[in-house]
Amino acid sequence: MSAPIKIRNFINGNYVDAISGKWIDNYEPMSGNVYSHIADSDEKDVANAYEAAQKAFLNWSETPIEKRSRILIKIADLIEENQQVLAEAESRDNGKPLSLSNLVDIPRASANFRFYGNAITQFASEAHESTGLQTINFTLREPLGVVGCISPWNLPLYLFSWKIAPALAAGNTVVAKPSEITPMTASLLGDICNKAGLPPGVLNIVHGLGPKAGEAIVSHPKIKAISFTGGTKTGEHIARTAAPMFKKLSLELGGKNPNVIFADCNYDKMLAVTVRSSFANQGQICLCGSRIFVEKSIFERFKKDFIAKTQALKIGNPFDKQTDIGALVSKPHLEKVRSYIRLAQEEGGKILTGGNTVHPEGYENGYYLEPTVIELHDAYCRVNQEEIFGPVVTLIPFETEEEVIKMANSVVYGLSATVWTSNLDRSLRMSKALEAGIVWVNTWLNRDLRTPFGGVKNSGIGREGGFEALKFFTEQKNVCIRYE
Ligand code: NAD
């Protein structure tokens, strides 16, 4: 076996070890082996990263928008050119099927840079003339300074770039930390940024543990804003640290999304998409529809067809072209998901299919789990209220719109919801009634990057996407001029 890869910090355009000289083991989910070591950074590394970012800020914030835009678009091009290498790195680090990294993760990371490279050229601010008072107001939108971006492991480069691209486009410099569980593609991004001509210090990537390196970013007194995507508990903790320092905060947190299926839907389309919305990325997408509510008249038919489709999914090595379901991201996460399957049984749920770990030949120690479908009678039990974030969905029948709205809205989360119906009135009624930041009708994970993205309730505060992210990463200043 070759020596483990070293994943080093990227500070001021250079790859450097953590000052402590310490490393963290990084596991390969498909085999369970340690395959790389990650810089175990602390507040000293974050201080260095901040320093570099602070030095770079004046030049970068004054760089003409056209030039910033060109550099971001060049990063997008280079991600595209390196698609194969990045996709393989993502699948190896995360356990997701290579087909998914190739189809979704890496193209979307490139799209994020391309989108914000273009969006910044269209980002304008308002003027307000106080007619009759000889006064004109105009709004300046200025970059904040050095900002912090912290991202999770489920869509590593996709979500890392979703924050960094708008932050850079708006003229900020960045100290960013990817998840310590999937740091690989973020680490490769440093090189790409250098090749694209991003000046040193504009983007700094610090690796390490959340409570140490992440915490150092959040509590750094001069980092002006934190854009965070991850778990609700972590978000709560971050808010507690950042709020008394009056930092701007964007929190994209957990979900427990309802997928509401009415009998009048396009059945075949619904069935095919529901398999994806349940199990894509091993169910580890914050937008997965993990609670499936089905109108009673088609419940038995749906149950039979959905089980058959689920059982047809091929679980295995992410690099195998036939694989639909790869490995879960880590052993502790696999154990957490399994504990919810046990809890479901204790709570009276019936496992219709799945529930077992899988040990493909040659990869016996990888973190594989069968996609699992659980029939529940109690919509309010813990399994149906808490985020599992794995290939596990629940099925519950319903009879009326009122009943399903009540069950769908009963959780503390409110990220996304999906509704399947061909009745236009109902689709509008449901879209209004469901407590979520995003409602998909007759589709799922359909994303236009101009639209606001984010959740309500414990799924977060603030919106990303489109101009919303550019607004977050800028401060408004009103200039009021009176003329004689
Ligand atoms: P997590 O909260 O454990 O970690 C996310 C990031 O925060 C990591 O980089 C981690 O190192 C860092 N972190 C941990 N503790 C920290 C601290 N005290 N201070 C600063 N940083 C800290 O989440 P995860 O397990 O990586 O990701 C899964 C979660 O993310 C799920 O709950 C999922 O729903 C959520 N998620 C939400 C969205 C969204 O857009 N709303 C998207 C993807 C994932």
Side-chain angles (χ1 to χ4, degrees):
M1 214 172 105
S2 52
I5 303 159
K6 296 262 189 227
I7 296 184
R8 308 166 83 205
N9 292 334
F10 179 73
I11 297 178
N12 207 23
N14 298 310
Y15 284 96
V16 293
D17 293 354
I19 293 171
S20 68
K22 290 190 195 150
W23 301 92
I24 308 162
D25 286 343
N26 182 27
Y27 293 83
E28 187 183 62
M30 69 179 177
S31 67
N33 296 330
V34 171
Y35 87 105
S36 70
H37 290 148
I38 314 161
D40 183 3
S41 311
D42 58 26
E43 73 279 0
K44 293 193 201 80
D45 303 285
V46 169
N48 280 351
Y50 169 79
E51 198 91 340
Q54 171 59 24
K55 276 201 188 111
F57 177 68
L58 192 60
N59 264 336
W60 181 245
S61 58
E62 291 295 324
T63 299
I65 280 173
E66 290 67 26
K67 187 165 178 202
R68 268 191 242 150
S69 163
R70 232 179 300 126
I71 293 174
L72 292 191
I73 289 171
K74 182 73 185 162
I75 296 173
D77 290 342
L78 287 171
I79 292 176
E80 240 171 61
E81 280 169 33
N82 290 283
Q83 153 101 20
Q84 197 53 32
V85 172
L86 289 165
E88 284 175 14
E90 202 72 293
S91 286
R92 193 170 180 202
D93 214 21
N94 174 282
K96 66 177 71 203
L98 181 59
S99 53
L100 192 69
S101 298
N102 264 317
L103 191 71
V104 177
D105 291 77
I106 308 307
R108 175 56 196 276
S110 166
N112 290 340
F113 279 105
R114 195 174 305 287
F115 178 85
Y116 279 106
N118 287 314
I120 194 61
T121 67
Q122 307 299 315
F123 189 52
S125 55
E126 310 80 31
H128 304 273
E129 181 179 2
S130 309
T131 314
L133 299 175
Q134 290 162 288
T135 310
I136 294 177
N137 293 274
F138 63 89
T139 310
L140 284 178
R141 287 190 182 278
E142 298 170 316
L144 303 174
V146 180
V147 299
C149 298
I150 301 178
S151 58
W153 50 255
N154 64 325
L155 300 162
L157 191 61
Y158 173 138
L159 290 174
F160 195 62
S161 53
W162 183 230
K163 299 181 174 307
I164 289 167
L168 297 178
N172 302 280
T173 53
V174 175
V175 177
K177 194 191 91 60
S179 169
E180 61 274 34
I181 302 170
T182 54
M184 186 52 103
T185 45
S187 149
L188 299 173
L189 185 65
D191 216 13
I192 287 177
C193 289
N194 280 346
K195 287 195 179 116
L198 190 75
V202 172
L203 171 65
N204 304 278
I205 303 170
V206 176
H207 295 281
L209 302 172
K212 196 151 81 174
E215 185 87 29
I217 295 175
V218 176
S219 56
H220 193 290
K222 298 219 170 118
I223 292 182
K224 302 276 177 53
I226 301 293
S227 174
F228 169 80
T229 299
T232 293
K233 263 214 164 90
T234 316
E236 207 182 302
H237 177 81
I238 286 176
R240 237 183 259 126
T241 308
M245 301 167 91
F246 305 105
K247 295 189 184 208
K248 264 185 129 176
L249 260 186
S250 166
L251 300 173
E252 300 289 344
L253 310 175
K256 185 77 176 175
N257 310 306
N259 177 7
V260 183
I261 300 168
F262 287 94
D264 63 9
C265 70
N266 176 334
Y267 187 85
D268 292 339
K269 188 175 148 204
M270 172 279 296
L271 187 63
V273 176
T274 293
V275 173
R276 274 183 51 231
S277 69
S278 301
F279 302 123
N281 204 36
Q282 297 70 248
Q284 303 166 139
I285 301 181
C286 52
L287 304 163
C288 277
S290 53
R291 294 180 295 147
I292 306 179
F293 298 101
V294 188
E295 195 168 353
K296 205 162 192 175
S297 59
I298 58 163
F299 186 76
E300 289 306 320
R301 177 185 173 201
F302 174 81
K303 193 161 105 177
K304 184 168 142 276
D305 293 342
F306 186 59
I307 292 172
K309 288 255 183 213
T310 302
Q311 288 174 343
L313 294 172
K314 193 170 174 304
I315 310 156
N317 175 354
F319 286 83
D320 184 338
K321 282 201 173 72
Q322 311 303 319
T323 292
D324 300 301
I325 308 274
L328 270 67
V329 77
S330 71
K331 191 155 192 188
H333 188 60
L334 172 68
E335 290 313 322
K336 178 193 148 186
V337 175
R338 290 182 72 199
S339 75
Y340 273 104
I341 296 172
R342 285 193 296 273
L343 178 65
Q345 288 166 304
E346 285 162 30
E347 291 187 319
K350 184 172 163 203
I351 302 204
L352 300 175
T353 183
N356 303 303
T357 53
V358 179
H359 305 277
E361 206 186 323
Y363 297 91
E364 289 79 1
N365 296 324
Y367 317 133
Y368 302 93
L369 181 68
E370 288 172 346
T372 305
V373 182
I374 303 169
E375 185 173 355
L376 287 181
H377 295 289
D378 175 9
Y380 305 96
C381 67
R382 275 185 59 201
V383 165
N384 218 40
Q385 295 283 313
E386 297 176 14
E387 184 183 45
I388 301 175
F389 213 55
V392 178
V393 292
T394 61
L395 296 192
I396 296 190
F398 70 89
E399 284 184 79
T400 65
E401 266 179 52
E402 294 68 33
E403 181 194 6
V404 77
I405 287 166
K406 184 165 173 261
M407 291 192 289
N409 288 344
S410 69
V411 295
V412 296
Y413 299 105
L415 190 52
S416 71
T418 306
V419 180
W420 291 95
T421 179
S422 44
N423 179 323
L424 180 63
D425 291 331
R426 171 180 283 150
S427 71
L428 289 170
R429 277 196 304 273
M430 291 295 294
S431 302
K432 290 270 290 172
L434 288 166
E435 294 170 356
I438 304 150
V439 178
W440 279 296
V441 179
N442 299 330
T443 184
W444 176 72
L445 208 65
N446 203 324
R447 292 276 300 125
D448 181 322
L449 301 190
R450 293 169 302 177
T451 59
F453 178 91
V456 299
K457 294 154 83 178
N458 295 15
S459 289
I461 48 167
R463 291 292 180 272
E464 297 186 319
F467 289 152
E468 294 300 321
L470 294 176
K471 285 180 189 160
F472 174 78
F473 283 117
T474 50
E475 194 68 86
Q476 301 183 51
K477 182 189 285 171
N478 186 65
V479 179
C480 176
I481 303 179
R482 190 186 150 93
Y483 59 92
E484 298 300 331

